[in-house]
Amino acid sequence: MSQIKVLSLAFAFGLICGTTQAQEVSSPREETQENMQTSSGLSGFGETYGEQIAREQEEQARAAQEAQAEAQENQNSVLAKVPENNTIDYKGIANAFFAGGQNQAEETAAAQQAKAQPKTYEDIVFTITEPTSQITLGMGHTLDLKLRTSSNLKWNFDKEFKSLEYISERTEDGFFHIVFKAKAPGQETLYFDCLDVGNPTNIQVLETKLIVVKVE
């Protein structure tokens, strides 16, 4: 009987030792798994793929909101937002721009006012010296044209016009005077041919002058 008890106790002791050893062996594996699970967090290999996607979406949404807010602020402003640490005088440019627009508006108003006022006309005495001249004559007023002449010269011209009425002609103080009167609005071109009549058998045209007369 004693021998059987001894064997039983030895067998039981062997089982206890085996169980304890199995527990000691399995503990490092469990710790390794726990360490791997812990290392998969932010303190080890960084965030997971899902967490990275969520973070990027959140950053994109925040950036879009900031851009929309800035665009709304610029839209509500008359002038664009002035960048910081700039050296451009935006205020001076704006003042000059608006001042220029104001001056232009004043000039336009002055021109319109001048245009609204009726023009005043007078009788005109005009000496023709250039080959081509132009003049404006008011309705009902007279135009006295002067051409330099001498005893052997004669000025030939037309007398019938729609806007001008021929009044008279004369020679005075070395000038040939032709007087017209404005009778209708329009524009006429008057030609004056200077003839050398010193030799009646050989009359020559020395020069031609013209003047454009606008009747208002």
Side-chain angles (χ1 to χ4, degrees):
M1 272 314 272
S2 300
Q3 200 172 10
I4 294 174
K5 286 182 178 182
V6 173
L7 291 173
S8 298
L9 291 174
F11 180 75
F13 181 75
L15 289 176
I16 293 172
C17 291
T19 303
T20 303
Q21 186 177 3
Q23 291 178 352
E24 292 177 354
V25 172
S26 60
S27 296
R29 294 182 179 177
E30 293 176 356
E31 292 178 358
T32 302
Q33 291 178 356
E34 291 177 358
N35 293 335
M36 291 178 63
Q37 292 176 358
T38 304
S39 64
S40 62
L42 294 175
S43 62
F45 296 95
E47 59 187 357
T48 63
Y49 179 74
E51 292 173 343
Q52 180 180 359
I53 295 299
R55 179 179 57 78
E56 291 178 353
Q57 291 178 351
E58 184 179 355
E59 291 178 353
Q60 291 177 358
R62 188 184 303 110
Q65 290 178 356
E66 293 177 355
Q68 184 177 2
E70 185 177 358
Q72 184 67 27
E73 182 180 356
N74 292 337
Q75 185 176 2
N76 295 334
S77 301
V78 176
L79 297 176
K81 185 177 180 181
V82 180
E84 298 180 357
N85 300 327
N86 74 92
T87 57
I88 301 176
D89 186 10
Y90 289 98
K91 185 176 180 181
I93 294 174
N95 292 337
F97 175 79
F98 290 116
Q102 183 178 2
N103 293 338
Q104 185 176 4
E106 293 177 354
E107 292 177 0
T108 303
Q112 292 178 351
Q113 184 177 3
K115 185 177 181 180
Q117 295 178 352
K119 293 182 179 181
T120 56
Y121 299 96
E122 298 179 351
D123 295 341
I124 299 176
V125 178
F126 186 79
T127 302
I128 302 176
T129 57
E130 301 295 331
T132 303
S133 304
Q134 185 174 358
I135 198 168
T136 300
L137 182 65
M139 278 290 298
H141 290 273
T142 59
L143 173 62
D144 185 352
L145 298 175
K146 298 171 59 177
L147 293 163
R148 186 169 293 279
T149 188
S150 62
S151 59
N152 65 318
L153 299 179
K154 181 179 180 181
W155 288 95
N156 189 32
F157 62 96
D158 293 331
K159 298 180 181 180
E160 298 294 330
F161 299 97
K162 293 181 179 180
S163 299
L164 297 174
E165 178 184 359
Y166 170 76
I167 301 298
S168 63
E169 60 183 87
R170 70 184 187 279
T171 300
E172 182 179 278
D173 298 331
F175 286 94
F176 179 64
H177 295 254
I178 313 102
V179 180
F180 289 93
K181 184 177 181 179
K183 64 178 182 179
Q187 182 171 295
E188 305 288 354
T189 301
L190 284 65
Y191 294 90
F192 299 93
D193 296 325
C194 183
L195 306 178
D196 184 357
V197 295
N199 185 359
T201 60
N202 187 20
I203 299 176
Q204 297 180 356
V205 178
L206 300 180
E207 63 174 332
T208 299
K209 294 183 183 297
L210 68 87
I211 181 171
V212 178
V213 181
K214 183 179 180 182
V215 178
E216 295 182 347

